[in-house]
Amino acid sequence: MSINARDNAFLQEMGIGPLWTLRDAMPDEALPEELAAPAQEAAPQPAPVPVAAPAAAPATMPTAVPTAVPTAVPTAVAMPAQPAVAARTAPPAASPASSPATDSAWGEEPPGPPPTEEDIAAMDWVQLKNAIANCTRCGLCKGGRKPVYGNGAQQARWFVAAGASTVSDEKERQPVSGEPGKLLANMLAAVALSRDSNVYVTNLIKCRPTSANGGDRAPSAEEALACRPYLDRELALSGAPLVLTLGQIAANALQGKPLQESLAGSRGQVHEVGGVKLVATLHPGELLRRGADKALAWADLCLARAHDGRPG
């Protein structure tokens, strides 16, 4: 009996199974079979630990451990679980982001609808100015332009209405400004009136109409119609018994005529608009270009003076 056989017999008599055997004592054909079994079973479940196995089983322990570990680890990790985690932590894709222009959480509210004629007719001076400042009744409010408010006496004897705001009006922030404004002041003084005391001056079109190159242009009928309620409310608040229009735009718009109609058909007579008398005359800007027409304007001023309700 060899030493290994004698040792094995001794261990069997003591009731102890062999723990280790020499590697070359294991049959050559058993090695691939023993190694392949743990590798195939590693994915579904761990290989059973051999207890008191025959001599060939324990001999696989030193060899199987280093071989099975790298094979089992990548197979056992649940890689498909990663997309599920990302889906739980990602923001919901079904909820569209709110637009800053319509979401009050951004501190911005969408612009409200423009005031109706009924709304404007009930406004006081402060409300009227705010409404003009935020008006969107026509497209002239776009492009960064600022409206030109009327000024003068809020309780007036004469209500002077020009056509559209000009580049000079927009710059000086008052209607009929610059050299035409100085001439208007002289015309009013000739009939004992002034902006400071008893005349209110305004433009029908509050925002300056501009041409393609940025210059002044005549307003459209739609623009005049959009601004008309503001002028009507200014007239009502001022309490003036007489309107003096400057130029054909204001005269025609207030009488409901086409804006391009000649001023000659309105001059020289007293009209009535909404229970208020109206006299039409030339715009001071026209008088500066055609000095000979100042005599016509003086006749218009005298006609208006005779019908404004003042004694004498």
Side-chain angles (χ1 to χ4, degrees):
M1 181 182 295
S2 65
I3 296 174
N4 286 340
R6 188 169 52 248
D7 292 342
N8 286 337
F10 174 77
L11 293 174
Q12 291 292 342
E13 290 177 3
M14 295 297 293
I16 302 174
L19 299 177
W20 302 99
T21 59
L22 295 178
R23 186 181 300 270
D24 54 6
M26 184 172 56
D28 294 338
E29 63 276 9
L31 181 59
E33 220 176 292
E34 293 290 332
L35 292 176
Q40 294 173 357
E41 297 173 2
Q45 61 184 8
V49 178
V51 179
T60 63
M61 294 297 290
T63 307
V65 170
T67 305
V69 168
T71 306
V73 168
T75 309
V77 175
M79 297 301 291
Q82 292 179 352
V85 173
R88 288 196 301 268
T89 57
S95 301
S98 299
S99 170
T102 58
D103 189 352
S104 60
W106 288 76
E108 300 177 6
E109 294 289 345
T116 63
E117 294 185 22
E118 292 75 13
D119 295 333
I120 297 171
M123 293 177 179
D124 59 23
W125 284 112
V126 174
Q127 293 169 334
L128 187 62
K129 184 175 182 179
N130 289 336
I132 294 171
N134 299 287
C135 180
T136 56
R137 287 175 60 87
C138 74
L140 293 180
C141 60
K142 301 177 181 177
R145 290 186 295 276
K146 302 295 183 181
V148 178
Y149 308 107
N151 66 5
Q154 291 188 351
Q155 294 299 313
R157 171 60 58 182
W158 282 19
F159 185 92
V160 177
S165 299
T166 65
V167 63
S168 176
D169 295 350
E170 195 175 58
K171 182 179 179 180
E172 296 190 22
R173 310 302 297 153
Q174 75 168 5
V176 195
S177 61
E179 292 302 316
K182 294 177 182 178
L183 179 55
L184 176 61
N186 292 336
M187 292 167 64
L188 294 174
V191 289
L193 297 171
S194 71
R195 287 196 191 193
D196 295 333
S197 59
N198 46 24
V199 175
Y200 183 87
V201 182
T202 191
N203 290 323
L204 169 63
I205 312 298
K206 309 303 182 186
C207 297
R208 178 171 69 95
T210 57
S211 60
N213 61 3
D216 294 339
R217 66 164 173 82
S220 67
E222 292 75 15
E223 291 163 351
L225 189 63
C227 268
R228 173 67 185 270
Y230 295 123
L231 184 141
D232 288 341
R233 186 54 182 164
E234 287 176 292
L235 175 58
L237 289 171
S238 73
L242 183 134
V243 176
L244 180 73
T245 60
L246 307 178
Q248 71 179 46
I249 298 296
N252 291 333
L254 266 65
Q255 296 178 80
K257 298 180 179 181
L259 299 184
Q260 297 78 18
E261 188 171 315
S262 172
L263 182 64
S266 297
R267 284 193 56 258
Q269 51 188 315
V270 178
H271 307 275
E272 187 172 309
V273 176
V276 178
K277 296 175 182 178
L278 183 149
V279 174
T281 192
L282 297 155
H283 193 285
E286 298 176 84
L287 298 177
L288 290 174
R289 294 189 296 271
R290 299 190 303 272
D293 288 344
K294 289 183 179 179
L296 300 176
W298 174 245
D300 296 332
L301 291 176
C302 292
L303 179 64
R305 172 67 182 82
H307 291 84
D308 68 2
R310 284 184 289 172

